[in-house]
Amino acid sequence: SFYFAPADHLEYARRRIFERFKLTRPPTRANRIFISRKKAAYRQMRNQDEVRSLLERYGFTAYDLEDLAFAGQVALFYDAEMVVAPHSSGLINLLFAPPLTKVLEISALAPEPSFFSLSQALGQRYHYLFGKEADRSLTFPRRSEEPQRLRDLINSDFSVDLRELEGAIKDMEHD
């Protein structure tokens, strides 16, 4: 269930979308993007305001992607340098980010490799951070055996350890 098209197929889709929106210039890599889930009904980042404040000190801007039209999302990610986000469908916009974009996905209790796979196929630098509630010794259920339990773990609310987040951002700046 985590299959992505080969890189050349992804590049074909990217090229067609970029042509459609007249994005023919080289990416500026100027955008540090924090994807907010404040409007989401589940998988809430309990300390999102503190996370946002920390990230703003490192030049990030928070976005509620549901407020941006498709063209705006394409343009935003086209010029991405770094993306920090909780696990969410907003990360599909990595499709529009350039190779070597640095990505930090934050999740609650269960890893979901879909955006890792996409990021790898596009040549981006992927990083991962668990929420504070994560039991790192937990064995996660297999999707085929306990799909609802796995879904509940993936969708649970979480908090972010601000020291770990700051360390990850500093590491990404030097990556």
Side-chain angles (χ1 to χ4, degrees):
S1 64
F2 300 111
Y3 170 76
F4 278 95
D8 58 330
H9 295 200
L10 294 170
E11 284 303 321
Y12 172 79
R14 287 165 48 90
R15 187 175 65 252
R16 295 297 305 265
I17 291 166
F18 296 156
E19 287 170 2
R20 165 70 175 84
F21 294 112
K22 300 180 178 22
L23 290 169
T24 56
R25 62 173 171 71
T28 64
R29 298 186 183 279
N31 296 336
R32 289 190 171 193
I33 302 163
F34 172 52
I35 300 174
S36 170
R37 281 192 56 83
K38 206 149 191 142
K39 296 181 178 182
Y42 57 92
R43 206 178 317 118
Q44 284 290 322
M45 187 182 291
R46 292 186 187 118
N47 60 338
Q48 180 166 290
D49 292 337
E50 292 86 357
V51 167
R52 181 180 182 157
S53 292
L54 175 85
L55 291 174
E56 285 173 349
R57 291 197 315 259
Y58 287 90
F60 285 82
T61 301
Y63 295 91
D64 294 307
L65 295 180
E66 55 268 72
D67 294 340
L68 291 176
F70 181 63
Q73 293 180 41
V74 172
L76 177 66
F77 281 82
Y78 184 81
D79 288 321
E81 175 199 8
M82 292 177 137
V83 177
V84 173
H87 175 78
S88 71
S89 59
L91 282 169
I92 197 64
N93 286 294
L94 292 174
L95 178 62
F96 313 123
L100 303 179
T101 296
K102 298 168 184 176
V103 178
L104 177 64
E105 182 177 6
I106 306 169
S107 190
L109 298 172
E112 173 100 332
S114 51
F115 299 116
F116 166 78
S117 299
L118 177 62
S119 184
Q120 294 300 294
L122 296 171
Q124 297 162 349
R125 299 203 175 286
Y126 180 89
H127 304 263
Y128 196 88
L129 183 66
F130 279 109
K132 288 197 298 190
E133 296 77 7
D135 178 352
R136 287 160 172 83
S137 67
L138 184 66
T139 301
F140 299 106
R142 292 179 184 219
R143 185 176 303 273
S144 60
E145 295 170 1
E146 298 181 72
Q148 188 55 51
R149 182 165 169 253
L150 181 59
R151 180 66 34 211
D152 291 344
L153 288 171
I154 292 168
N155 288 334
S156 60
D157 293 346
F158 60 96
S159 301
V160 176
D161 183 305
L162 297 178
R163 284 182 298 198
E164 285 185 17
L165 175 60
E166 188 167 27
I169 297 301
K170 287 178 179 180
D171 289 346
M172 289 169 62
E173 287 182 327
H174 296 51
D175 182 18

